[in-house]
């Protein structure tokens, strides 16, 4: 299921770019910056009933600035 429009994403905490909520391989959600590539950890789920909660948790991580960046010093 696509939850990308259900959860509002703030701008990237690293560069200010747009974030994208993605369901990777149908078993985990991650939010990634379209500009710099920063991303949240992947939030996995095993059953479809858990997918919305995983998407919500990934969006919350993004919106609170808990991201992984490959830039030196981050």
């Amino acid at each position: 299921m696509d939850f990308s429009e259900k959860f509002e994403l703030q701008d990237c905490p690293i560069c200010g770019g747009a974030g994208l909520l993605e369901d990777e391989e149908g078993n985990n959600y991650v939010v990634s910056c379209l500009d710099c590539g920063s991303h949240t950890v992947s939030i996995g789920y095993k059953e479809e009933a858990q997918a919305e909660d995983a998407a919500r948790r990934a969006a919350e991580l993004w919106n609170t600035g808990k991201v992984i960046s490959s830039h030196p010093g981050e």
Side-chain angles (χ1 to χ4, degrees):
M1 179 168 253
D2 182 18
F3 296 109
S4 61
E5 297 201 11
K6 183 167 184 164
F7 301 106
E8 184 176 335
L9 299 176
Q10 296 178 3
D11 292 338
C12 175
I14 304 297
C15 74
L20 177 67
L21 177 66
E22 299 178 281
D23 186 2
E24 295 184 323
E25 301 175 17
N27 63 6
N28 64 73
Y29 275 94
V30 64
V31 179
S32 301
C33 177
L34 297 174
D35 292 335
C36 73
S38 296
H39 56 90
T40 63
V41 296
S42 294
I43 306 294
Y45 63 93
K46 293 184 180 188
E47 299 174 15
E48 196 62 34
Q50 301 168 329
E52 184 174 357
D53 184 55
R56 179 191 53 77
R57 290 173 51 207
E60 286 176 354
L61 288 172
W62 179 263
N63 290 339
T64 57
K66 297 184 184 208
V67 300
I68 300 167
S69 174
S70 61
H71 300 300
E74 294 294 324

